[in-house]
Amino acid sequence: MHIAIEPSILYFGTPVVLLSTENEDGTFNLAPLSSAWALGHTVVLGLGSDGQSAHNLTRRPDLVINLPSPDLWPAVERLAPLTGRHPVPPTKAAGCRYEPDKFGAAGLHPEPSDTVRPPRVAECPLQLEARAAQVRPDATGTFLVVEAQVRKVHADPALTVPGTDHINPAAWTPLIYNFRHYFGLGPELGHSYRTQTPATVVSGCS
């Protein structure tokens, strides 16, 4: 049996992204996003059309897609009520306030990128330097859909399979935003036949 429901949001579980972009004055904005997915080397982002990130990407296409680990959720939540827009747009949620120094407010640290101007977030174990190839409104006009071409990937060595360019799925746990609650991943259940990384070795008594 199923019941028909009308949820106010459909964040049914996606990785959190910290998006760094360049402001008009050459400083940098940092914003949490809850809508991101990858297709090949393209990452598709969904963001509010009135935010500073949207404002920046329609004018300056460079960005960094920083993927935080679960232990960084308090820093992500410190960013949640902040905006780089001044004055604060009326579409922002109640309690949202202007903050020009997002890195400082979150307790995070910028580090230089190699191929784009916005900095990476030093604390994030995965960082994708990218450039927005297409920025367009969604069907409702409320959000922007950004197709970003990844130019360079930085990974914490502890997350990689030694001697390869593969991320070890047993070592990497993204921070998941699930119906406005933060989660990590549970234990591995299995793997796809298309995987190029070795299966997780589980030791125990038989």
Side-chain angles (χ1 to χ4, degrees):
M1 290 287 294
H2 293 74
I3 61 171
I5 64 172
E6 297 183 3
S8 61
I9 54 169
L10 293 176
Y11 293 142
F12 44 74
T14 51
V16 172
V17 161
L18 293 180
L19 189 68
S20 47
T21 58
E22 184 179 2
N23 296 319
E24 197 167 39
D25 62 1
T27 61
F28 300 103
N29 188 60
L30 185 66
L33 300 184
S34 57
S35 299
W37 61 280
L39 184 64
H41 283 80
T42 298
V43 177
V44 181
L45 305 168
L47 57 155
S49 58
D50 286 339
Q52 185 65 22
S53 297
H55 180 82
N56 288 344
L57 288 175
T58 57
R59 295 161 176 80
R60 290 164 293 280
D62 286 358
L63 65 148
V64 181
I65 300 161
N66 301 278
L67 293 164
S69 51
D71 62 295
L72 290 176
W73 81 263
V76 174
E77 185 60 17
R78 285 193 290 270
L79 284 170
L82 308 180
T83 179
R85 295 297 304 275
H86 183 72
V88 177
T91 53
K92 289 290 186 179
C96 187
R97 65 177 177 83
Y98 170 65
E99 174 53 66
D101 180 13
K102 297 280 203 70
F103 278 91
L108 299 171
H109 300 87
E111 62 180 348
S113 296
D114 293 341
T115 65
V116 296
R117 280 187 47 78
R120 297 174 283 144
V121 177
E123 289 81 0
C124 288
L126 278 178
Q127 310 151 341
L128 315 180
E129 297 180 15
R131 177 160 291 167
Q134 186 176 89
V135 181
R136 57 181 174 81
D138 80 321
T140 69
T142 306
F143 301 97
L144 285 188
V145 177
V146 178
E147 295 183 25
Q149 298 290 321
V150 175
R151 302 161 65 91
K152 191 165 189 177
V153 178
H154 302 265
D156 183 327
L159 301 183
T160 63
V161 177
T164 77
D165 290 319
H166 297 306
I167 299 296
N168 180 355
W172 164 234
T173 299
L175 176 62
I176 300 294
Y177 194 61
N178 185 12
F179 285 99
R180 290 181 174 161
H181 293 255
Y182 298 104
F183 289 85
L185 293 184
E188 180 181 352
L189 302 176
H191 60 84
S192 165
Y193 77 97
R194 298 182 62 184
T195 186
Q196 297 179 19
T197 55
T200 304
V201 177
V202 180
S203 59
C205 298
S206 58

